[in-house]
Amino acid sequence: MRGTLAAVLGALLVSLTAVPTPAAAEGAPISVEVTMELRKDGVLHVKEKITGSGPIKRTMLTRTRYDDDNDRLYQVTGAQVESVTAPTTLEYDVKGAIAQAGDIEELRWFAVSGWNVPVEKATVKVTAPAQIQNLSCFAGEITSAIGCTSASMDHTGLDADFEQQGLAPGQTLTIVVGYPKGTTGAAPLLDKRFSLASAFTLNTVTGGALAGLLILLLGGIGLVYWTRGRDARLSHSGEAVNPVQDGHFSPPDGVRPGQIGTLVDEQADVIDVTATIVDLAVRGYLRIDEQPRGAYDAPDWMLVKRPNAPVGSLLPYEKLLFDAIFDGRDSVMLSQLSGTFAQSIGKVRDALYQDVVTQGWFARRPDTERTRWTTIGLIVLGLGLAATVALAWFTTYGLIGLALIMAGAALTIGGQYMPAKTAKGSAALAHTMAFRDHLFSGDLSAVPQQQRVELFSRYLPYAVIFDGVEHWSRVVASITQQGDNLYWYHGPAEWDLSKFAGSMRTFTTTTSGAISSTRQLRSI
């Protein structure tokens, strides 16, 4: 029983494998008979008679490499030639099959190409309105140099015949026939291949255009800066500033440290706010109490609001800062300010910018002026990038677009220098620089002893602006007075003025860190 069943199953299996499958039928070979006529206008008229059975597909070859810079195109119009059912006849026209090759016109076409089934036999007949000068054919892959089965011409020299036996699926039969120059006057259809080398070709045209545009654009930017971005000249020569008059403190033009900081670098930044906090303490609006700490504790200070301080006399930006620090409290730890008054500190910064305009030092807010020109620069930069890509992709003039990129980059960077001071602002800056020189090199020995605490303390916020905290803190620490504290700065137990320079340096650094952790001033 078991032997009989095995025999039956084996016979059934053999019978099943012997039945042809649909896939095998679809892969049946075909034969192709091609007739081609080259017309006087250079168009090649093709007629293909296909013998076989079943649906077949073709991937027609219409693009090949021509040279280092171009691809050659073959434009096929007429019957649908990609998917057909054999037997059938196809008829279509080809443009771009003619190219000039020395003293002849060369016809090159892929008479059989891209079929998904084997081609058992292919014959090709070519007729033209002129005598054949030479002929050849190649079979196999598209780059094959192997000749076809046969190639010949008739006794008239007007007709050429080609034959190929056995082409595998996807393989090509290429025919090449030469005719006298001027037979059609046609030219190949070329499509430029993109490459960086050709896209940015440097020659007389592109080099001259690039240089001319750079001179024009960068010269225009220079002219804009000359007319809009330069500080106005002083209406009169600045006089030397003596910050001590009758033994009393007298800042340059009566300006505050925060105002000076914004005037000097045209930015309302962290150090301007830090100097303003020290200035508020020195002027009696708050007191700074250094907190005792252990060996591993972070330094901290308590800011204490002074009772009955004339808050109404503060400038708008000072009042905003004072309210942001205390926010209804009488005291606050400096460490508690970190990240807690971001919205208010942004208002302080806006008020500082508005203040320098109110003072008449700038015609427009420096931050607004920087933003305007930087935005214009970014737009020009973006247009330059788009123009460069377009020019490089479609032409060889990509270098010309680089001029716009460089101009946009120059304007974006140069926008930071566009805020311009008025004549009044230039005069205030000249007085400020004279004050800075006096602050660090002037002889203050003539200041009466009883006035030194106030005078030297009042100088300290300006030293913060001028990055001279270390130097001036030592000057303050040298004051001979009763007690270990200043009227505006108290240290912990066993602290004295000899430690003031280190304490002040750490305080300004810590305060700047606390302020810069807020969102509005983080990137300034």
Side-chain angles (χ1 to χ4, degrees), residues 124-142:
V124 181
K125 176 179 286 291
V126 182
T127 62
Q131 292 281 337
I132 297 172
Q133 303 298 300
N134 57 60
L135 54 81
S136 58
C137 59
F138 307 97
E141 302 301 324
I142 182 61

PDB file of all heavy atoms in Angstrom, residues 124-142:
ATOM      1  N   VAL A 124      17.589  44.550 -39.669  1.00  0.00           N
ATOM      2  CA  VAL A 124      17.393  46.003 -39.761  1.00  0.00           C
ATOM      3  C   VAL A 124      17.759  46.442 -41.175  1.00  0.00           C
ATOM      4  O   VAL A 124      18.832  46.096 -41.691  1.00  0.00           O
ATOM      5  CB  VAL A 124      18.264  46.758 -38.737  1.00  0.00           C
ATOM      6  CG1 VAL A 124      18.023  48.258 -38.855  1.00  0.00           C
ATOM      7  CG2 VAL A 124      17.995  46.259 -37.327  1.00  0.00           C
ATOM      8  N   LYS A 125      16.869  47.226 -41.803  1.00  0.00           N
ATOM      9  CA  LYS A 125      17.152  47.810 -43.117  1.00  0.00           C
ATOM     10  C   LYS A 125      17.061  49.320 -42.965  1.00  0.00           C
ATOM     11  O   LYS A 125      16.089  49.849 -42.414  1.00  0.00           O
ATOM     12  CB  LYS A 125      16.170  47.319 -44.165  1.00  0.00           C
ATOM     13  CG  LYS A 125      16.376  47.975 -45.552  1.00  0.00           C
ATOM     14  CD  LYS A 125      15.401  47.444 -46.569  1.00  0.00           C
ATOM     15  CE  LYS A 125      15.789  46.030 -46.996  1.00  0.00           C
ATOM     16  NZ  LYS A 125      17.055  46.044 -47.791  1.00  0.00           N
ATOM     17  N   VAL A 126      18.091  50.024 -43.470  1.00  0.00           N
ATOM     18  CA  VAL A 126      18.153  51.480 -43.360  1.00  0.00           C
ATOM     19  C   VAL A 126      18.239  52.066 -44.762  1.00  0.00           C
ATOM     20  O   VAL A 126      19.095  51.661 -45.566  1.00  0.00           O
ATOM     21  CB  VAL A 126      19.375  51.928 -42.534  1.00  0.00           C
ATOM     22  CG1 VAL A 126      19.381  53.450 -42.387  1.00  0.00           C
ATOM     23  CG2 VAL A 126      19.383  51.255 -41.181  1.00  0.00           C
ATOM     24  N   THR A 127      17.371  53.036 -45.047  1.00  0.00           N
ATOM     25  CA  THR A 127      17.428  53.765 -46.312  1.00  0.00           C
ATOM     26  C   THR A 127      17.614  55.244 -46.014  1.00  0.00           C
ATOM     27  O   THR A 127      17.165  55.753 -44.970  1.00  0.00           O
ATOM     28  CB  THR A 127      16.141  53.566 -47.136  1.00  0.00           C
ATOM     29  OG1 THR A 127      15.028  54.076 -46.395  1.00  0.00           O
ATOM     30  CG2 THR A 127      15.916  52.110 -47.445  1.00  0.00           C
ATOM     31  N   ALA A 128      18.291  55.944 -46.940  1.00  0.00           N
ATOM     32  CA  ALA A 128      18.569  57.373 -46.742  1.00  0.00           C
ATOM     33  C   ALA A 128      18.695  58.040 -48.098  1.00  0.00           C
ATOM     34  O   ALA A 128      18.886  57.366 -49.131  1.00  0.00           O
ATOM     35  CB  ALA A 128      19.848  57.548 -45.922  1.00  0.00           C
ATOM     36  N   PRO A 129      18.616  59.381 -48.150  1.00  0.00           N
ATOM     37  CA  PRO A 129      18.691  60.105 -49.438  1.00  0.00           C
ATOM     38  C   PRO A 129      20.120  60.372 -49.891  1.00  0.00           C
ATOM     39  O   PRO A 129      20.343  61.273 -50.712  1.00  0.00           O
ATOM     40  CB  PRO A 129      17.958  61.409 -49.118  1.00  0.00           C
ATOM     41  CG  PRO A 129      18.233  61.642 -47.670  1.00  0.00           C
ATOM     42  CD  PRO A 129      18.250  60.286 -47.035  1.00  0.00           C
ATOM     43  N   ALA A 130      21.121  59.655 -49.392  1.00  0.00           N
ATOM     44  CA  ALA A 130      22.515  59.893 -49.782  1.00  0.00           C
ATOM     45  C   ALA A 130      23.298  58.591 -49.724  1.00  0.00           C
ATOM     46  O   ALA A 130      22.874  57.601 -49.107  1.00  0.00           O
ATOM     47  CB  ALA A 130      23.136  60.943 -48.861  1.00  0.00           C
ATOM     48  N   GLN A 131      24.469  58.606 -50.359  1.00  0.00           N
ATOM     49  CA  GLN A 131      25.325  57.433 -50.402  1.00  0.00           C
ATOM     50  C   GLN A 131      25.910  57.153 -49.009  1.00  0.00           C
ATOM     51  O   GLN A 131      26.312  58.060 -48.282  1.00  0.00           O
ATOM     52  CB  GLN A 131      26.475  57.660 -51.396  1.00  0.00           C
ATOM     53  CG  GLN A 131      26.051  57.738 -52.845  1.00  0.00           C
ATOM     54  CD  GLN A 131      25.809  56.366 -53.439  1.00  0.00           C
ATOM     55  OE1 GLN A 131      26.335  55.359 -52.954  1.00  0.00           O
ATOM     56  NE2 GLN A 131      25.008  56.301 -54.502  1.00  0.00           N
ATOM     57  N   ILE A 132      25.962  55.875 -48.662  1.00  0.00           N
ATOM     58  CA  ILE A 132      26.556  55.453 -47.390  1.00  0.00           C
ATOM     59  C   ILE A 132      28.072  55.601 -47.472  1.00  0.00           C
ATOM     60  O   ILE A 132      28.709  55.156 -48.441  1.00  0.00           O
ATOM     61  CB  ILE A 132      26.162  53.991 -47.077  1.00  0.00           C
ATOM     62  CG1 ILE A 132      24.640  53.878 -46.898  1.00  0.00           C
ATOM     63  CG2 ILE A 132      26.893  53.496 -45.837  1.00  0.00           C
ATOM     64  CD1 ILE A 132      24.157  52.448 -46.780  1.00  0.00           C
ATOM     65  N   GLN A 133      28.654  56.212 -46.448  1.00  0.00           N
ATOM     66  CA  GLN A 133      30.103  56.376 -46.375  1.00  0.00           C
ATOM     67  C   GLN A 133      30.754  55.260 -45.564  1.00  0.00           C
ATOM     68  O   GLN A 133      31.854  54.812 -45.858  1.00  0.00           O
ATOM     69  CB  GLN A 133      30.444  57.736 -45.743  1.00  0.00           C
ATOM     70  CG  GLN A 133      29.843  58.916 -46.481  1.00  0.00           C
ATOM     71  CD  GLN A 133      30.361  59.023 -47.904  1.00  0.00           C
ATOM     72  OE1 GLN A 133      31.565  59.164 -48.124  1.00  0.00           O
ATOM     73  NE2 GLN A 133      29.457  58.945 -48.887  1.00  0.00           N
ATOM     74  N   ASN A 134      30.115  54.838 -44.514  1.00  0.00           N
ATOM     75  CA  ASN A 134      30.602  53.728 -43.689  1.00  0.00           C
ATOM     76  C   ASN A 134      29.455  53.189 -42.864  1.00  0.00           C
ATOM     77  O   ASN A 134      28.410  53.852 -42.723  1.00  0.00           O
ATOM     78  CB  ASN A 134      31.767  54.154 -42.782  1.00  0.00           C
ATOM     79  CG  ASN A 134      31.394  55.333 -41.879  1.00  0.00           C
ATOM     80  OD1 ASN A 134      30.471  55.256 -41.077  1.00  0.00           O
ATOM     81  ND2 ASN A 134      32.116  56.435 -42.025  1.00  0.00           N
ATOM     82  N   LEU A 135      29.646  51.998 -42.331  1.00  0.00           N
ATOM     83  CA  LEU A 135      28.607  51.427 -41.463  1.00  0.00           C
ATOM     84  C   LEU A 135      29.248  50.460 -40.480  1.00  0.00           C
ATOM     85  O   LEU A 135      30.305  49.896 -40.729  1.00  0.00           O
ATOM     86  CB  LEU A 135      27.505  50.750 -42.280  1.00  0.00           C
ATOM     87  CG  LEU A 135      27.880  49.671 -43.310  1.00  0.00           C
ATOM     88  CD1 LEU A 135      28.119  48.326 -42.673  1.00  0.00           C
ATOM     89  CD2 LEU A 135      26.764  49.566 -44.350  1.00  0.00           C
ATOM     90  N   SER A 136      28.564  50.285 -39.365  1.00  0.00           N
ATOM     91  CA  SER A 136      28.999  49.330 -38.342  1.00  0.00           C
ATOM     92  C   SER A 136      27.811  49.041 -37.433  1.00  0.00           C
ATOM     93  O   SER A 136      26.781  49.741 -37.474  1.00  0.00           O
ATOM     94  CB  SER A 136      30.169  49.887 -37.514  1.00  0.00           C
ATOM     95  OG  SER A 136      29.808  51.107 -36.888  1.00  0.00           O
ATOM     96  N   CYS A 137      27.968  48.000 -36.626  1.00  0.00           N
ATOM     97  CA  CYS A 137      26.902  47.664 -35.678  1.00  0.00           C
ATOM     98  C   CYS A 137      27.518  46.947 -34.486  1.00  0.00           C
ATOM     99  O   CYS A 137      28.592  46.338 -34.598  1.00  0.00           O
ATOM    100  CB  CYS A 137      25.826  46.802 -36.338  1.00  0.00           C
ATOM    101  SG  CYS A 137      26.470  45.237 -37.007  1.00  0.00           S
ATOM    102  N   PHE A 138      26.824  47.033 -33.322  1.00  0.00           N
ATOM    103  CA  PHE A 138      27.324  46.432 -32.090  1.00  0.00           C
ATOM    104  C   PHE A 138      26.165  45.748 -31.375  1.00  0.00           C
ATOM    105  O   PHE A 138      25.027  46.246 -31.388  1.00  0.00           O
ATOM    106  CB  PHE A 138      27.933  47.496 -31.172  1.00  0.00           C
ATOM    107  CG  PHE A 138      28.963  48.339 -31.865  1.00  0.00           C
ATOM    108  CD1 PHE A 138      28.624  49.576 -32.402  1.00  0.00           C
ATOM    109  CD2 PHE A 138      30.263  47.885 -32.020  1.00  0.00           C
ATOM    110  CE1 PHE A 138      29.554  50.354 -33.055  1.00  0.00           C
ATOM    111  CE2 PHE A 138      31.211  48.662 -32.682  1.00  0.00           C
ATOM    112  CZ  PHE A 138      30.866  49.900 -33.193  1.00  0.00           C
ATOM    113  N   ALA A 139      26.463  44.610 -30.763  1.00  0.00           N
ATOM    114  CA  ALA A 139      25.413  43.839 -30.092  1.00  0.00           C
ATOM    115  C   ALA A 139      25.858  43.496 -28.671  1.00  0.00           C
ATOM    116  O   ALA A 139      27.031  43.242 -28.421  1.00  0.00           O
ATOM    117  CB  ALA A 139      25.110  42.565 -30.873  1.00  0.00           C
ATOM    118  N   GLY A 140      24.893  43.479 -27.781  1.00  0.00           N
ATOM    119  CA  GLY A 140      25.160  43.137 -26.382  1.00  0.00           C
ATOM    120  C   GLY A 140      24.738  44.272 -25.470  1.00  0.00           C
ATOM    121  O   GLY A 140      23.685  44.891 -25.671  1.00  0.00           O
ATOM    122  N   GLU A 141      25.545  44.563 -24.444  1.00  0.00           N
ATOM    123  CA  GLU A 141      25.256  45.687 -23.551  1.00  0.00           C
ATOM    124  C   GLU A 141      25.423  46.995 -24.320  1.00  0.00           C
ATOM    125  O   GLU A 141      26.064  47.048 -25.378  1.00  0.00           O
ATOM    126  CB  GLU A 141      26.186  45.658 -22.333  1.00  0.00           C
ATOM    127  CG  GLU A 141      26.097  44.380 -21.520  1.00  0.00           C
ATOM    128  CD  GLU A 141      24.689  44.121 -20.992  1.00  0.00           C
ATOM    129  OE1 GLU A 141      24.006  45.108 -20.644  1.00  0.00           O
ATOM    130  OE2 GLU A 141      24.275  42.951 -20.942  1.00  0.00           O
ATOM    131  N   ILE A 142      24.916  48.084 -23.741  1.00  0.00           N
ATOM    132  CA  ILE A 142      24.914  49.353 -24.454  1.00  0.00           C
ATOM    133  C   ILE A 142      26.323  49.822 -24.781  1.00  0.00           C
ATOM    134  O   ILE A 142      26.576  50.467 -25.793  1.00  0.00           O
ATOM    135  CB  ILE A 142      24.147  50.421 -23.631  1.00  0.00           C
ATOM    136  CG1 ILE A 142      24.085  51.750 -24.393  1.00  0.00           C
ATOM    137  CG2 ILE A 142      24.809  50.633 -22.286  1.00  0.00           C
ATOM    138  CD1 ILE A 142      23.381  51.679 -25.692  1.00  0.00           C
TER     139      ILE A 142
END
